Amino acid sequence: MTTDTNLYPIFETATRANPQVLYKQMREENPIWKAISPFGNPTWFFTRYEDVINVLKDQRFIKDARKNLPPEHVQRYYPAEPDPTWEAINHHMLNLDAPDHTRLRGLVHKAFTPKRVRDLEPRIEEIASELLDTMTKKSEGDLLDDFAFPLPITVIAEMIGVEKERRDDFRRWTQILLFGSDQDSARLSIMELVQYTNELIEARRKEDTDDILSALVNLNDNGDTLSHTELISMVFLLLVAGHETTVNLIGNGMLLLLQHPEQFEQLRDDRSLMKTAVEEMLRYNGPVETATIRFASEDIEVNGVIIPQGDIVHPVLLGANRDPEVFENPDVFDITRDPNPHVAFGHGIHFCLGAPLARMEGMIAFNALLDRVPNLQLTANVDDLEWNANLLIHGLKELPVKW
């Protein structure tokens, strides 16, 4: 382990284009590495599979710093007076620890049942087909804008009950909150999102419309229900986690197929490989680069390295998914890889609740694309493609193609 915080350019925007080169180097040289974030905070990165799994499972690495850290550490990360604008969307499962997390996840799971997810399949197929009807009226375009973005945002919007004319607003809010740098625009987006979500919740209280939001509003487990703030935060989490991850599963996955034409052809000819192909896309170049931040609740030893109380930790999912100790030929993209114990959806109590939906959307999307545009081709040099600068979400800004 080294504390040379300038050794690896992990925060640099240029790194996002191919972070695996850096993570391989880190895994081999300093798999537990301390950096100083752009905000001046000690931040630890874990790139080895075993360490990532251990950190994700260890509940001493906490999410809710304000509740579980001494004041001198809390003030490093949070203002003395909480900002009510941000507070309105932050009371969701990804920001909570047990037992608060256990309660909230248990409640939400009752609305987000496997049957409810399975029942969405025919509609998702219909949405994919409608999008391709429009897309194939042209001969080229941006696959993200034409297909990968609208597919999951339409699914999530219908799950929540968002009117068609407001879906572009949801996408705009997401983009600003994830990738924007203007705090005023972010605050405005949150206020607009909260105001609209309040209207949706009020409408569901008056009339059950048999969608996910109605189920969340009407949850009652022996008198335990979701508070109004929890409902708003859950809509925000569904919007962001349920949208951006699937967008980039489709975008990153299709780029991989275009870069590996022999596997593109193999999958096109044998759809029985779709399940393992999607899992390999998630492993090889998944939509989430690092898990959401955690804090060391006390001095914690990980493989002989002490992580001081209050420091930020970042388990690097992309790095863990190329660990040669777990994956044979980890830098080879292989759509037949099985088993494939990747951590693209996390691990432990915060394992992604929407993973079954994301997997189903991915399989439907690729089947539809292979059916309708089987000769898809990239119209830009791979090295010229732009990637989002966000350290959390790993995805392209656009994917120009022709068919």
Side-chain angles (χ1 to χ4, degrees):
M1 191 277 294
T2 182
T3 56
D4 180 354
T5 59
N6 298 313
L7 187 59
Y8 307 106
I10 197 165
F11 296 107
E12 296 295 324
T13 299
T15 300
R16 306 283 76 76
N18 191 5
Q20 292 290 9
V21 173
L22 183 67
Y23 294 143
K24 180 178 183 179
Q25 184 184 1
M26 292 170 66
R27 230 182 7 253
E28 293 172 352
E29 300 172 354
N30 293 291
I32 301 175
W33 178 64
K34 179 184 178 182
I36 300 299
S37 78
F39 301 102
N41 298 313
T43 305
W44 296 80
F45 289 88
F46 302 81
T47 51
R48 197 162 43 195
Y49 187 94
E50 178 187 9
D51 294 336
V52 166
I53 289 286
N54 287 339
V55 170
L56 293 175
K57 286 195 306 184
D58 191 337
Q59 294 188 42
R60 294 176 299 171
F61 290 109
I62 58 169
K63 292 300 197 88
D64 193 346
R66 286 178 293 187
K67 189 170 184 177
N68 295 301
L69 281 180
E72 63 269 22
H73 291 301
V74 174
Q75 66 186 12
R76 292 160 59 185
Y77 304 111
Y78 298 95
E81 294 295 327
D83 185 332
T85 303
W86 290 95
E87 291 295 308
I89 62 169
N90 280 336
H91 201 73
H92 54 70
M93 293 180 293
L94 277 183
N95 288 343
L96 298 175
D97 304 301
D100 300 320
H101 172 273
T102 308
R103 168 192 162 265
L104 200 54
R105 189 176 179 109
L107 281 171
V108 171
H109 186 70
K110 295 179 186 301
F112 214 86
T113 62
K115 180 182 183 305
R116 189 180 286 274
V117 172
R118 286 195 304 272
D119 288 347
L120 292 170
E121 185 172 1
R123 178 56 185 147
I124 297 173
E125 291 174 341
E126 187 177 29
I127 294 167
S129 180
E130 291 170 355
L131 289 170
L132 287 169
D133 285 344
T134 301
M135 184 174 121
T136 52
K137 291 176 181 177
K138 308 181 296 181
S139 59
E140 62 180 349
D142 173 10
L143 189 67
L144 298 188
D145 199 48
D146 290 337
F147 185 75
F149 273 117
L151 176 62
I153 197 68
T154 303
V155 173
I156 291 295
E158 291 188 358
M159 288 171 65
I160 298 172
V162 177
E163 300 97 327
K164 284 185 179 180
E165 59 270 19
R166 297 304 299 271
R167 290 173 192 170
D168 284 344
D169 290 333
F170 265 56
R171 178 178 171 186
R172 176 173 55 83
W173 295 330
T174 303
Q175 294 293 293
I176 290 172
L177 291 174
L178 282 178
F179 306 118
S181 57
D182 182 353
Q183 288 297 302
D184 290 338
S185 296
R187 287 175 61 84
L188 180 60
S189 294
I190 294 171
M191 289 189 284
E192 290 175 351
L193 171 62
V194 170
Q195 180 179 352
Y196 180 63
T197 304
N198 281 331
E199 295 171 6
L200 290 177
I201 292 171
E202 185 61 30
R204 296 310 179 279
R205 293 197 193 282
K206 293 178 179 177
E207 180 183 0
D208 188 332
T209 51
D210 194 32
D211 51 33
I212 286 283
L213 183 55
S214 286
L216 292 170
V217 167
N218 294 307
L219 277 175
N220 192 319
D221 185 13
N222 295 320
D224 191 8
T225 62
L226 295 176
S227 70
H228 191 76
T229 299
E230 288 169 343
L231 281 168
I232 292 172
S233 295
M234 189 61 207
V235 169
F236 169 73
L237 183 60
L238 279 171
L239 171 63
V240 175
H243 171 218
E244 283 297 331
T245 50
T246 306
V247 169
N248 295 310
L249 165 58
I250 297 170
N252 297 0
M254 183 50 70
L255 178 60
L256 283 170
L257 291 178
L258 293 171
Q259 290 177 293
H260 299 82
E262 72 292 343
Q263 299 207 51
F264 193 139
E265 183 178 355
Q266 186 181 10
L267 182 60
R268 187 174 54 205
D269 295 341
D270 184 1
R271 301 303 174 81
S272 69
L273 295 174
M274 186 59 73
K275 184 176 185 298
T276 55
V278 169
E279 295 304 312
E280 180 68 346
M281 294 169 190
L282 287 163
R283 180 198 74 87
Y284 191 86
N285 205 24
V288 181
E289 186 162 339
T290 66
T292 50
I293 67 170
R294 289 153 169 80
F295 304 88
S297 63
E298 58 188 72
D299 291 353
I300 303 172
E301 180 184 342
V302 181
N303 259 335
V305 178
I306 300 297
I307 312 300
Q309 183 187 54
D311 281 8
I312 292 173
V313 297
H314 266 305
V316 182
L317 304 184
L318 291 188
N321 285 337
R322 297 279 192 99
D323 190 336
E325 294 295 318
V326 178
F327 302 97
E328 185 177 356
N329 298 319
D331 295 323
V332 173
F333 177 64
D334 178 8
I335 63 170
T336 68
R337 188 183 296 272
D338 188 31
N340 193 344
H342 65 75
V343 289
F345 291 114
H347 191 78
I349 68 170
H350 291 285
F351 181 83
C352 179
L353 188 67
L357 176 59
R359 285 182 160 113
M360 183 168 70
E361 286 180 318
M363 292 179 67
I364 290 171
F366 286 108
N367 268 317
L369 287 165
L370 293 175
D371 284 340
R372 299 286 297 278
V373 283
N375 298 312
L376 204 67
Q377 298 175 54
L378 192 63
T379 58
N381 189 305
V382 172
D383 293 335
D384 293 333
L385 296 175
E386 289 189 69
W387 293 76
N388 291 313
N390 192 295
L391 189 60
L392 172 65
I393 301 295
H394 180 58
L396 293 157
K397 291 186 177 182
E398 62 178 6
L399 183 59
V401 291
K402 64 179 181 180
W403 50 88

